[in-house]
């Protein structure tokens, strides 16, 4: 497991380039820093300065090599590299609250921005006028959009929001693409159509469960959503420490699992049946989905425990420690054994894609980035089996 500490400030979001030699990250302020891998160390090569509010989302298109950023200043910028420097193009999102997250579509001909204005802006490039324009998906969103993920067909868009709902919308833009074919989530796809809506992960885990916020005995803000490689499955994590998975089909099945951990902030598929999630507990966890039983199970903590050297301690010291700190340990500070020393805010797949991931990356509030090797984790932890 490689760990690199970039900054003292938290890393609020990150994105990788196509060959994984450069990473763009936001050090919890108005700027985006681009680092290049140089042997074992990372060197800063660019600073993108245009936003005048905190940067809340970054995405890097692998094929067209364009970066899109969005921020609390209610703007998005598309950055293109010209003669070695990055040039921004402003995208007017027509929102009156902060933008929260941004994602390029798989074909890179449009991107989606979720915001606090209770809407999603789908932005595409209009050739005649040579500018970026956007269309809004508004109904039935009732709160801030926290996370977005595109279906591999470039049309469907999953969104998680603060109204405890995870939804799948059609983001079909007739100006830039052909009519889409049917999918397990539905066949009629006019722009803005809701093809799936769930209650909070704990609220009504039934087929296509739909329930208003606060009803159904559970739920929480949906922090992260992720489609599987095939696009037939959708996973999401909520603030009530639940992980849920929906499988598209005529009767859409939803299975959810309440975890014993603190809330999970991010989730990604690493195979068609396995998801990795992480959050306030500072380590990634594995969840495995059984398609035959339509059930989600806890797969294990993905953290290789460090062997702490135990030094002899006298009875007197032991009781002094108990008296002072309600702990028998000798260390003066409370030490975390995990690789990250604060909440993990984002997970991204590095190698192998979502169908057979071999490496994934986490960044967190401790200003560090960890790269996890799936094979090493499997061999180091005897009970761990990733299917």
């Amino acid at each position: 497991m490689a760990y690199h500490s970039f900054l003292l400030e938290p890393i609020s979001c990150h994105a990788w380039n196509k060959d994984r030699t450069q990473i763009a990250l936001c050090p919890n302020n108005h700027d985006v820093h681009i680092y290049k891998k140089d042997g074992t160390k990372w060197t800063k090569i660019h600073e993108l300065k245009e936003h005048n509010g905190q940067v809340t989302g970054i995405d890097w298109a692998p094929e067209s090599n364009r970066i899109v950023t969005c921020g609390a200043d209610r703007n998005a910028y598309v950055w293109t590299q010209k003669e070695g420097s990055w040039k921004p193009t402003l995208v007017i999102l027509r929102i009156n609250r902060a933008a929260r997250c941004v994602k390029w579509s798989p074909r890179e001909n449009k991107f989606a921005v979720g915001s606090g204005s209770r809407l999603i802006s789908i932005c595409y490039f209009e050739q005649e006028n040579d500018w970026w324009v956007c269309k809004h998906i508004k109904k039935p969103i009732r709160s801030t959009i926290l996370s977005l993920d595109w279906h591999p067909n470039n049309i469907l868009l999953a969104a998680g929001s603060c109204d405890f709902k995870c939804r799948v919308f059609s983001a079909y833009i007739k100006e830039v693409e052909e009519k889409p074919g049917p999918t397990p989530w539905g066949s009629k796809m006019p722009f803005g159509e809701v093809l799936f809506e769930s209650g909070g992960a704990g609220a009504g885990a039934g087929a296509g469960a739909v329930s208003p916020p606060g009803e159904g005995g559970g739920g929480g803000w949906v922090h992260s959503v992720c489609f599987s490689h095939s696009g037939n499955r959708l996973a999401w994590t909520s603030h009530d420490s639940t992980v849920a998975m929906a499988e598209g089909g005529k009767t859409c099945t939803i299975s959810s699992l309440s975890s014993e951990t603190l809330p999970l902030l991010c989730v990604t598929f690493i195979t068609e049946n396995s998801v990795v999630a992480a959050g306030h507990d500072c380590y990634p966890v594995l969840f495995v989905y059984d398609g035959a039983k339509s059930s989600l199970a806890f797969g294990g903590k993905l953290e290789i425990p460090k062997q702490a050297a135990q030094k002899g301690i006298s009875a007197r010291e032991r009781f002094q420690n108990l008296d002072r700190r309600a702990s028998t340990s000798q260390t003066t500070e409370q030490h975390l054994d995990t690789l990250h020393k604060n909440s993990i805010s984002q997970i991204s797949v590095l190698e192998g894609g979502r169908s057979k991931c071999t490496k994934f990356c986490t960044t967190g509030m401790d200003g560090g980035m960890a790269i996890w090797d799936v094979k090493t984790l499997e061999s180091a932890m005897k009970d761990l089996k990733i299917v």
Side-chain angles (χ1 to χ4, degrees):
M1 308 302 111
Y3 181 82
H4 182 80
S5 189
F6 283 103
L7 313 147
L8 293 170
E9 295 85 26
I11 296 174
S12 35
C13 47
H14 77 262
W16 290 86
N17 71 340
K18 187 183 179 180
D19 61 5
R20 308 302 194 233
T21 54
Q22 294 179 30
I23 184 170
L25 49 89
C26 167
N28 205 32
N29 61 16
H30 304 176
D31 306 333
V32 174
H33 295 178
I34 298 179
Y35 287 85
K36 189 178 178 24
K37 195 169 172 66
D38 190 8
T40 52
K41 62 180 196 293
W42 292 84
T43 37
K44 195 196 307 183
I45 53 167
H46 296 291
E47 278 192 29
L48 312 186
K49 293 174 180 283
E50 196 66 35
H51 284 279
N52 54 22
Q54 177 161 341
V55 175
T56 51
I58 308 171
D59 202 16
W60 199 326
E63 302 307 325
S64 57
N65 196 37
R66 291 179 299 187
I67 295 173
V68 62
T69 58
C70 69
D73 56 0
R74 310 189 301 279
N75 290 329
Y77 290 95
V78 175
W79 302 79
T80 333
Q81 202 167 17
K82 287 178 186 148
E83 288 132 31
S85 65
W86 290 92
K87 299 280 186 287
T89 307
L90 174 66
V91 183
I92 305 290
L93 299 172
R94 307 199 324 267
I95 55 177
N96 58 6
R97 297 284 184 278
R100 285 281 316 161
C101 47
V102 64
K103 270 278 193 297
W104 280 109
S105 69
R107 289 196 198 128
E108 300 170 21
N109 56 355
K110 56 186 177 180
F111 61 87
V113 181
S115 73
S117 296
R118 304 194 302 234
L119 56 85
I120 302 165
S121 302
I122 308 294
C123 309
Y124 60 98
F125 194 72
E126 212 171 56
Q127 296 288 351
E128 306 86 78
N129 300 317
D130 195 35
W131 61 14
W132 288 89
V133 292
C134 72
K135 284 186 170 183
H136 286 168
I137 296 174
K138 289 182 180 172
K139 286 179 178 169
I141 305 163
R142 284 150 72 175
S143 193
T144 302
I145 297 290
L146 292 181
S147 54
L148 296 166
D149 194 39
W150 287 93
H151 186 280
N153 76 350
N154 207 64
I155 304 291
L156 302 185
L157 179 70
S161 75
C162 284
D163 58 7
F164 302 178
K165 298 291 179 78
C166 174
R167 301 180 178 91
V168 175
F169 294 100
S170 163
Y172 166 58
I173 306 272
K174 60 177 186 290
E175 287 85 351
V176 294
E177 53 207 345
E178 312 87 58
K179 214 165 178 206
T183 70
W185 301 97
S187 49
K188 277 195 175 158
M189 298 184 206
F191 180 80
E193 181 82 6
V194 181
L195 296 158
F196 167 81
E197 181 181 41
S198 78
V210 179
S211 59
E215 288 179 28
W221 307 321
V222 179
H223 284 299
S224 182
V225 291
C226 184
F227 273 113
S228 64
H229 176 73
S230 66
N232 297 344
R233 289 176 182 167
L234 174 68
W236 67 94
T237 57
S238 307
H239 198 69
D240 60 349
S241 296
T242 52
V243 181
M245 178 106 61
E247 191 156 13
K250 277 183 183 161
T251 56
C252 182
T253 54
I254 304 175
S255 50
S256 70
L257 182 70
S258 290
S259 66
E260 292 173 10
T261 62
L262 293 174
L264 298 157
L265 299 175
C266 45
V267 65
T268 186
F269 277 86
I270 55 166
T271 68
E272 196 65 25
N273 301 317
S274 304
V275 294
V276 168
H280 291 300
D281 270 320
C282 316
Y283 54 80
V285 268
L286 175 75
F287 295 95
V288 181
Y289 181 71
D290 184 337
K293 294 180 190 162
S294 297
S295 67
L296 200 57
F298 178 72
K301 276 167 67 167
L302 300 184
E303 179 75 52
I304 298 168
K306 293 188 188 75
Q307 295 300 315
Q310 287 295 316
K311 237 168 73 186
I313 179 170
S314 71
R316 181 162 184 249
E317 283 173 321
R318 191 184 177 88
F319 283 109
Q320 273 178 338
N321 287 340
L322 265 172
D323 189 36
R324 273 195 225 117
R325 293 194 304 278
S327 153
T328 56
S329 69
Q330 288 164 289
T331 50
T332 49
E333 67 205 53
Q334 286 298 313
H335 185 66
L336 274 173
D337 289 335
T338 54
L339 205 51
H340 280 283
K341 302 300 177 207
N342 207 328
S343 306
I344 295 171
S345 53
Q346 195 178 340
I347 295 185
S348 55
V349 170
L350 267 187
E351 287 174 21
R354 289 179 187 174
S355 56
K356 192 136 183 51
C357 168
T358 52
K359 280 185 182 171
F360 63 91
C361 150
T362 53
T363 55
M365 298 297 163
D366 54 354
M369 173 195 76
I371 293 173
W372 308 78
D373 190 304
V374 175
K375 283 275 172 287
T376 313
L377 285 168
E378 275 197 287
S379 56
M381 301 164 76
K382 55 182 189 296
D383 300 331
L384 190 70
K385 195 82 199 100
I386 295 169
V387 286

